[in-house]
């Protein structure tokens, strides 16, 4: 267990430098051994620089030398934080135990009171760019916090046979409240380690402030006493209380965290290619992990790692005698997402082909210096939409997309997706004129099913004729003059994105042979064969004269 005794752990006095942090070096809180080493991989304070683990598993050895990325948000982080939260040390009215950067509140009697957010779950810090790193939380989650304080009493005041003494009559945490953007969400009885649930679904907007608020109360009793008996040396041996008065004091302490509600919604287009392949385009409203298709999946650019909140590396014990700093038994973890690919990827590639990704080009973020992971150095595409072609004849009834926050997935029916038909196209070429230098051809592009003309000038896509790009007019034709090639003129139709039109089309090709091309080709081949034939004849004659037996050349094959 992560237990630190106060006597052994107090190491510094007021103004002294805190000791180095010591993250855990063994698993706890019902986290499996393998999961533990992934959560705490390459934590130099835990395993030591360039450390190795004797007799450790392959994952333990890997974790000792580098951070281990995750393909999805690790579930063990929530289990660790839940158990770690309970390890807050025992406290009482004489001591306030707090992380070094806590905001402390002092009253007349209540001292060093504070509230601090320990963890919000499920959550992910998305490192999108150097300046954009939102703190995503699920719509429904839990905030874990810590509240503490101490009660300071005035010193006893004596004068002659009179004195004033003070005592703590009562003290407690009256209650804790979780507020969402200033509106109370959840109230609980007072506790040093409160756990508060929240639901953001009924709040407007996506950006909110989660605030932990606690009310600390102390009741102090003042007693004015008179000496009633003395010993032989004159010391008072008996006191009678003549007046008693109680003072009640309260202090409200808060801590807050700006969050962005992570709600994933998807929409898109679906089509069926003439050969039976499935076309899928999925758009989303937030950075995402990817989505599933029949016989494959499409992944975004994101991977994950866990890192401890270093603000909890130490605890400060404040008492009436001063303060002391000790190693902390608390090591809350935070899930982080970071880009690792320049664009989305599909698997397996034999089944799924990415046709396009839509989104802004983003400068990758820098990661903390102590994170040992491959980092993006070139801009990446933060896609809001991905188009794919899937080799399958299965019907796609639902789309299942996975988000960056643990547990946030959406399974949505494709009934709301737009359906786009894809037809085969037909491309033909006709020679209108040719000279020794140029050739003029007319291309005609039409729908192979309906015969309707395809005007590329009004839609995405284009023709490439003899290496030149061209667009067909409203009647589906275009006339182009190109340099006369050898043999014939070839053309191909590069259709636009099928999801951008009412009807999509497949690509098509066509070739037309030029007059005289066959004779010209034969002439060129004849001119090439003459030197080859003469060479072979020379080899034959030399072999007959020298009897080297090198003829025929393929003798040894």
């Amino acid at each position: 267990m992560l237990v630190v005794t106060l006597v052994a752990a107090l190491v510094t006095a007021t103004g002294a430098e805190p000791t180095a942090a010591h993250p855990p070096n063994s698993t706890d809180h019902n986290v499996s051994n393998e999961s533990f080493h992934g959560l705490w991989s390459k934590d130099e304070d835990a395993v030591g620089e360039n450390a190795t683990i004797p007799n450790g598993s392959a994952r333990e050895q890997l974790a000792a030398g580098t951070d281990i990325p995750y393909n999805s948000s690790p579930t063990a982080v929530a289990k660790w934080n839940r158990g770690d939260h309970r390890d807050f040390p025992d406290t009482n009215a004489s001591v306030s135990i707090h992380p070094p950067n806590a905001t402390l509140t002092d009253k007349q009697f209540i001292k060093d009171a504070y509230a601090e957010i320990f963890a919000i779950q499920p959550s992910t810090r998305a490192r999108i760019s150097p300046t954009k790193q939102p703190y995503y939380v699920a719509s429904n989650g839990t905030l874990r916090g810590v509240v503490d304080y101490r009660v300071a009493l005035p010193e006893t005041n004596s004068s002659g046979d009179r004195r004033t003494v003070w005592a703590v009559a009562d003290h407690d945490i009256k209650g804790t409240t979780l507020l969402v953007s200033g509106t109370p969400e959840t109230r609980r009885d007072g506790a040093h380690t409160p756990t508060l649930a929240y639901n953001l679904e009924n709040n407007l907007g996506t950006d909110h402030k989660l605030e932990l608020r606690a009310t600390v109360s102390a009741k102090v009793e003042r007693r004015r006493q008179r000496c009633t008996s003395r010993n032989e040396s004159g010391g008072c041996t008996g006191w009678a209380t003549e007046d008693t008065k109680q003072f009640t004091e309260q202090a409200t302490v808060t801590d807050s965290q700006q969050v962005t509600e992570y709600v994933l919604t998807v929409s898109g287009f679906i089509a069926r290619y003439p050969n039976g392949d499935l076309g899928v385009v999925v758009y989303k409203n937030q950075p995402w992990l990817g989505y599933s298709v029949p016989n494959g999946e499409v992944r975004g650019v994101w991977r994950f790692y866990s890192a401890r909140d270093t603000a909890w590396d130490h605890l400060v014990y404040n008492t009436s005698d001063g303060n002391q700093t000790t190693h902390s038994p608390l090591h809350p973890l935070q899930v982080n997402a970071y880009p690792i690919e320049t664009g989305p990827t599909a698997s397996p590639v034999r089944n799924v082909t990415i046709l396009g990704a839509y989104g802004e080009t983003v400068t990758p973020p820098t990661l903390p210096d102590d994170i040992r992971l491959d980092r993006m150095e070139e801009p990446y595409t933060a896609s809001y939409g991905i188009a794919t072609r899937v080799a399958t004849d299965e019907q796609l009834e639902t789309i299942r997309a996975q988000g960056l926050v643990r547990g946030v997935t959406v399974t949505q029916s494709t009934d709301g997706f737009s359906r786009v038909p894809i037809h085969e196209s037909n491309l033909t070429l006709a020679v209108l004129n040719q000279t020794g230098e140029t050739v003029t051809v007319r291309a005609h592009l039409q729908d192979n099913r309906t015969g309707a003309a395809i005007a590329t000038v009004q839609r995405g896509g284009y023709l490439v004729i003899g290496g030149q790009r061209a667009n067909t007019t409203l009647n589906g034709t275009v006339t182009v003059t190109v340099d006369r090639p050898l043999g014939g003129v070839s053309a191909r139709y590069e259709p636009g994105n099928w999801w951008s039109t009412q009807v999509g089309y497949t690509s098509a090709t066509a070739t037309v042979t030029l007059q005289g091309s066959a004779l010209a080709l034969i002439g060129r081949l004849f001119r090439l064969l003459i030197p080859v034939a003469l060479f072979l004849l020379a080899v034959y004659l030399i072999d007959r004269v020298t009897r080297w037996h090198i003829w025929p050349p393929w003798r040894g094959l």
Side-chain angles (χ1 to χ4, degrees):
M1 294 294 292
L2 298 176
V3 177
V4 179
T5 62
L6 181 59
V7 174
L10 294 178
V11 292
T12 63
T14 303
E17 291 295 328
T19 56
H22 70 135
N25 55 19
S26 62
T27 188
D28 200 356
H29 310 317
N30 295 319
V31 173
S32 69
N33 193 55
E34 289 297 292
S35 296
F36 168 82
H37 290 288
L39 297 181
W40 294 99
S41 57
K42 193 49 184 174
D43 198 310
E44 295 175 7
D45 295 322
V47 300
E49 182 70 23
N50 301 320
T52 59
I53 302 177
N55 303 318
S57 66
R59 187 172 180 82
E60 290 177 78
Q61 299 289 356
L62 178 64
T66 185
D67 282 294
I68 298 178
Y70 293 86
N71 289 329
S72 59
S73 179
T75 59
V77 167
K79 183 182 291 186
W80 178 271
N81 287 344
R82 184 168 56 249
D84 214 37
H85 190 218
R86 303 189 188 107
D87 278 346
F88 188 78
D90 292 338
T91 185
N92 54 48
S94 65
V95 60
S96 172
I97 308 173
H98 62 84
N101 61 348
T103 300
L104 305 178
T105 297
D106 289 338
K107 297 287 188 177
Q108 182 179 0
F109 303 110
I110 297 174
K111 303 293 184 181
D112 303 319
Y114 76 96
E116 193 82 4
I117 294 175
F118 183 79
I120 301 175
Q121 296 172 282
S123 65
T124 298
R125 174 69 71 182
R127 299 183 179 274
I128 297 174
S129 72
T131 58
K132 186 178 181 181
Q133 301 188 2
Y135 189 72
Y136 287 130
V137 299
S139 298
N140 295 274
T142 301
L143 182 147
R144 299 183 182 277
V146 174
V147 180
D148 204 9
Y149 61 95
R150 67 184 177 90
V151 180
L153 297 175
E155 294 183 358
T156 299
N157 182 19
S158 299
S159 178
D161 62 351
R162 304 283 181 172
R163 73 175 183 179
T164 301
V165 297
W166 299 81
V168 177
D170 192 17
H171 68 95
D172 62 359
I173 301 171
K174 287 295 184 183
T176 52
T177 303
L178 171 59
L179 299 92
V180 177
S181 298
T183 302
E185 172 75 14
T186 307
R187 290 184 174 90
R188 289 288 183 269
D189 294 337
H192 283 287
T193 54
T195 299
L196 303 164
Y198 66 85
N199 186 338
L200 302 178
E201 293 177 351
N202 296 325
N203 292 269
L204 297 177
T206 57
D207 293 327
H208 307 283
K209 182 173 74 171
L210 298 187
E211 181 179 345
L212 172 64
R213 180 179 297 175
T215 300
V216 175
S217 177
K219 185 181 293 185
V220 175
E221 187 174 84
R222 184 192 66 191
R223 300 171 190 159
R224 290 177 175 168
Q225 298 175 330
R226 176 176 56 86
C227 181
T228 57
S229 61
R230 295 182 180 274
N231 55 25
E232 294 179 355
S233 61
C236 187
T237 58
W239 294 92
T241 300
E242 295 180 330
D243 176 64
T244 300
K245 185 175 181 179
Q246 289 188 338
F247 299 86
T248 300
E249 187 175 70
Q250 289 188 342
T252 299
V253 290
T254 64
D255 188 26
S256 62
Q257 171 68 54
Q258 292 293 139
V259 301
T260 298
E261 181 183 7
Y262 188 86
V263 180
L264 189 60
T265 60
V266 297
S267 60
F269 299 86
I270 290 183
R272 184 69 69 176
Y273 286 86
N275 71 340
D277 285 358
L278 181 68
V280 184
V281 179
V282 182
Y283 297 100
K284 48 75 183 180
N285 64 326
Q286 299 275 27
W288 59 351
L289 196 56
Y291 61 91
S292 300
V293 293
N295 304 323
E297 66 175 0
V298 178
R299 289 190 61 91
V301 301
W302 300 97
R303 295 296 183 271
F304 302 83
Y305 69 89
S306 67
R308 77 181 192 274
D309 184 351
T310 56
W312 289 90
D313 280 352
H314 305 91
L315 290 179
V316 180
Y317 286 70
N318 277 7
T319 66
S320 59
D321 296 327
N323 61 69
Q324 293 178 304
T325 301
T326 178
H327 289 301
S328 173
L330 310 174
H331 302 288
L333 291 171
Q334 176 61 57
V335 176
N336 293 259
Y338 69 103
I340 193 60
E341 303 282 355
T342 56
T345 56
S347 65
V349 292
R350 67 178 181 276
N351 292 340
V352 186
T353 302
I354 294 180
L355 303 178
Y358 302 93
E360 60 179 336
T361 300
V362 180
T363 301
T366 56
L367 300 182
D369 293 337
D370 56 352
I371 299 299
R372 305 295 198 272
L373 290 169
D374 291 336
R375 310 181 186 200
M376 290 287 296
E377 296 184 356
E378 56 184 305
Y380 70 97
T381 300
S383 59
Y384 62 83
I386 302 175
T388 55
R389 180 170 179 168
V390 186
T392 180
D393 57 2
E394 294 184 26
Q395 297 297 320
L396 186 62
E397 298 180 352
T398 60
I399 284 286
R400 184 178 186 274
Q402 188 174 354
L404 297 188
V405 176
R406 176 180 57 83
V408 178
T409 60
V410 57
T411 302
Q412 187 165 320
S413 171
T414 57
D415 291 343
F417 280 43
S418 298
R419 306 278 169 164
V420 179
I422 299 179
H423 296 174
E424 288 185 339
S425 61
N426 181 268
L427 177 63
T428 58
L429 287 177
V431 178
L432 301 183
N433 185 35
Q434 58 180 314
T435 67
E437 305 296 332
T438 63
V439 58
T440 301
V441 297
R442 175 176 292 169
H444 185 212
L445 183 65
Q446 63 183 5
D447 188 314
N448 198 49
R449 177 185 298 183
T450 66
I454 302 176
T456 63
V457 71
Q458 290 186 332
R459 55 183 291 134
Y462 53 87
L463 297 183
V464 178
I465 305 174
Q468 295 184 22
R469 181 178 292 195
N471 280 303
T472 58
T473 57
L474 295 179
N475 61 4
T477 64
V478 63
T479 301
V480 178
T481 299
V482 298
D483 293 338
R484 178 166 182 153
L486 177 65
V489 177
S490 295
R492 71 178 187 275
Y493 170 43
E494 297 287 351
N497 298 330
W498 57 261
W499 55 92
S500 300
T501 58
Q502 293 182 341
V503 178
Y505 290 103
T506 61
S507 60
T509 60
T511 300
V512 61
T513 303
L514 302 179
Q515 292 182 359
S517 296
L519 293 176
L521 179 62
I522 293 173
R524 288 180 182 239
L525 290 176
F526 181 75
R527 287 194 295 271
L528 290 174
L529 288 175
I530 288 178
V532 174
L534 291 176
F535 173 77
L536 293 177
L537 177 62
V539 172
Y540 171 75
L541 294 175
I542 292 173
D543 180 72
R544 293 295 301 269
V545 173
T546 63
R547 298 186 181 276
W548 286 346
H549 303 293
I550 60 175
W551 185 268
W554 52 86
R555 175 192 296 271
L557 298 180

